[in-house]
Amino acid sequence: MKLMRVGEVGRERPLALLDDGSGADLTGVLDPHRPWSAEDLRSAAAAVERGGLPRVDPAGLRVGSPLPRPVTIVCVGLNYRDHAAETGSPLPAEPILFLKSPATVVGPGDEVLVPRGSVKTDYEVELGVVIGRRARYLETAEEGLAHVAGYVVSHDVSEREFQLERGGQWDKGKNCETFNPLGPWFVTADEVPDPQALGLRLWVDGELRQDGTTADMVFGVGELVAYISRFMVLEPGDVVNTGTPAGVALGRPDPKPYLRAGQVVELEIDGLGRMRHPVGAAR
């Protein structure tokens, strides 16, 4: 099942995307503003299977984040071998974790804003993992995968000067407004038989900048969920951003091609859809 939310900011309604491109309106089945559990998703699938839901044509409508705002977004740094190599960093012995504010989430076609004073705003296509049931002290990768409800394309926008040159932790360069677009769909786990066999790509103004595969992850999806659950409790609807492949502006030769207002970023993951963001400037 592919789920999306359409409508103006704060007034989105949930749809199940059907084979003919229309959406089955799940208003009254899924709460459009509260994180969804695995049980909620089973109810939605049953409602779609029964039929009779109102149809909505999503064409021409604003598409919001396919997920209601999560409580927690956990991000993983340097989790692709080729990305670690391009930045001159050793492979981590354990996952590098940091948090992103849920307030950074925007939709798959919404504007991404370069922060005031920024000269090093960077792009990162990532596989977003959505938690379906409470994950606490999991022991194995198999247990981790069993707690995954589905997947989404995630854009972990970063400001490298704020992140790396302004002291403290990475959070300053990761939490600017609009810095985590999600979409266009939330694809349930049953439609992704192997999350370690997905191609992911990103373009800036039509130029391919990132072209990788989740097979290159240092720590796989199930391993990450189990690992994170030993340090914090993951709740339904929480998101794990699993890292980015090589090709980010930070890893390129000088002058590094950081994002500027007026550019367009497009990104996609096999089977999970495509996002397109105009880049603007924070005022």
Side-chain angles (χ1 to χ4, degrees), residues 25 68 133 139 161 172 190 193 228 240 269-270 276:
D25 192 339
R133 55 195 179 98
E139 294 294 335
E161 181 188 8
K172 285 187 285 190
D190 59 296
I228 294 166
V240 178
I269 298 178
D270 294 344
R276 183 181 189 275

Side-chain angles (χ1 to χ4, degrees), residues 181-249:
L182 297 174
W185 315 313
F186 166 39
V187 180
T188 52
D190 59 296
E191 293 201 17
V192 184
D194 185 357
Q196 306 307 145
L198 301 175
L200 60 173
R201 293 161 290 277
L202 181 145
W203 296 261
V204 177
D205 290 341
E207 176 191 1
L208 183 64
R209 296 278 183 88
Q210 292 184 274
D211 187 5
T213 170
T214 56
D216 194 45
M217 284 185 185
V218 180
F219 306 100
V221 169
E223 188 176 2
L224 287 173
V225 173
Y227 180 88
I228 294 166
S229 78
R230 298 166 202 158
F231 299 92
M232 65 187 81
V233 176
L234 294 171
E235 299 287 359
D238 286 348
V239 175
V240 178
N241 286 337
T242 55
T244 197
V248 299

Side-chain angles (χ1 to χ4, degrees), residues 140-164:
T140 67
E142 291 73 21
E143 286 182 290
L145 280 176
H147 285 71
V148 173
Y151 302 92
V152 65
V153 183
S154 180
H155 190 182
D156 177 22
V157 188
S158 307
E159 212 298 337
R160 302 302 190 184
E161 181 188 8
F162 299 176
Q163 176 189 355
L164 302 173

Side-chain angles (χ1 to χ4, degrees), residues 7 24 32 45 48 50 59 70 72 78-79 107 111 114 133 148 155 176 178 181 197 200 221 224 242 246 261 263 280:
V48 173
R50 286 194 302 269
T72 303
L78 296 175
N79 194 38
E111 188 176 45
V114 173
R133 55 195 179 98
V148 173
H155 190 182
C176 303
T178 75
L200 60 173
V221 169
L224 287 173
T242 55
Q263 293 186 302

